Amino acid sequence: MRIISGACRGRKLVQIQGTDIRPTSDRVREAVFNILGPGIRGKRVLDMFAGTGALGLEALSRGAQYAVFVDAARSSCDVIQRNIELCRVAEQARIICHDLVKAPLPAFHQPFDLVFMDPPYNKGYSGKVFGKSGFSDILAPGAIIIVEQSVKESLDYPVNNLDKYLEKKYSRTTLTFLQKSATDDKDAYDYPKTDDCHLPRIL
């Protein structure tokens, strides 16, 4: 598994050992970023069920402002830390070891522009996270959420006031692209463009 493009192109990532691990394939990852295009530059990224951190690291390699990685397994968090160091992006990365299914959403410093959600297949985890109180609040206006799941799974719509605008199937995988409505409402997040990415590495 390697970083496909950008500043870290070709960097080989540490993988997680185990027969029950299902990392996003390079083909699917490349498809995701081809769809996103150059608009990823400067975005604040959340990588949920991060695994090796490949999606968030690919985003950083392509110019994202910073990325927060969340995974429940300490072994995964350790691998993500190693991959962050391999890609030399520690200044732009934060890791939170947290169970997104069993616990409330963790506290974040700012809302996100781009969210990757790649949970274990066929367990219904995406719907459980979408349904959590405050999920919409972690998203900036116009934020994009990309859900990777088995072709046997489906999401109920509308999902927490998110609009589906694209769905792609790749072999056993379905990619669903959702977007939060952009708004000019004064109550919407007025988030600063900041370089304050010096956050605790692992929580």
Side-chain angles (χ1 to χ4, degrees):
M1 181 185 299
R2 298 176 184 272
I3 298 296
I4 298 166
S5 186
C8 304
R9 181 178 180 179
R11 199 68 50 86
K12 188 174 182 180
L13 300 178
V14 177
Q15 298 191 50
I16 300 171
Q17 303 302 314
T19 57
D20 58 340
I21 302 301
R22 182 206 45 77
T24 300
S25 71
D26 286 354
R27 175 174 176 246
V28 172
R29 189 155 37 99
E30 185 168 16
V32 167
F33 285 94
N34 284 343
I35 292 169
L36 290 172
I40 195 168
R41 294 192 64 82
K43 295 295 187 287
R44 295 157 307 183
V45 175
L46 175 60
D47 191 348
M48 308 179 95
F49 304 96
T52 62
L55 289 166
L57 289 167
E58 186 75 40
L60 288 175
S61 179
R62 294 175 185 239
Q65 181 185 154
Y66 68 82
V68 175
F69 302 83
V70 183
D71 201 283
R74 173 58 64 172
S75 57
S76 292
C77 292
D78 290 342
V79 166
I80 294 167
Q81 181 63 50
R82 291 174 64 189
N83 285 331
I84 286 170
E85 292 168 357
L86 284 171
C87 293
R88 300 177 183 176
V89 291
E91 295 290 314
Q92 300 166 267
R94 177 189 181 194
I95 304 170
I96 302 177
C97 289
H98 182 86
D99 193 322
L100 290 164
V101 176
K102 296 180 180 179
L105 292 172
F108 298 112
H109 293 270
Q110 291 183 328
F112 296 94
D113 307 299
L114 179 62
V115 177
F116 298 110
M117 189 181 294
D118 181 19
Y121 282 3
N122 302 312
K123 294 183 181 293
Y125 287 168
S126 297
K128 291 179 181 179
V129 174
F130 277 129
K132 287 186 179 290
S133 174
F135 181 81
S136 183
D137 295 337
I138 71 173
L139 306 175
I144 293 173
I145 304 92
I146 303 163
V147 182
E148 179 180 341
Q149 58 187 355
S150 164
V151 293
K152 299 178 182 179
E153 296 179 276
S154 62
L155 290 171
D156 294 328
Y157 297 99
V159 178
N160 215 332
N161 297 318
L162 302 173
D163 297 319
K164 180 177 78 168
Y165 69 91
L166 182 65
E167 191 166 89
K168 294 279 190 179
K169 290 183 170 30
Y170 302 89
S171 184
R172 297 181 302 153
T173 298
T174 297
L175 292 177
T176 304
F177 289 71
L178 305 158
Q179 188 165 32
K180 180 179 180 179
S181 296
T183 178
D184 293 325
D185 192 322
K186 292 181 180 179
D187 291 331
Y189 274 107
D190 181 19
Y191 48 89
K193 294 297 183 181
T194 175
D195 292 325
D196 183 17
C197 298
H198 301 276
L199 303 170
R201 297 251 186 107
I202 301 181
L203 300 182

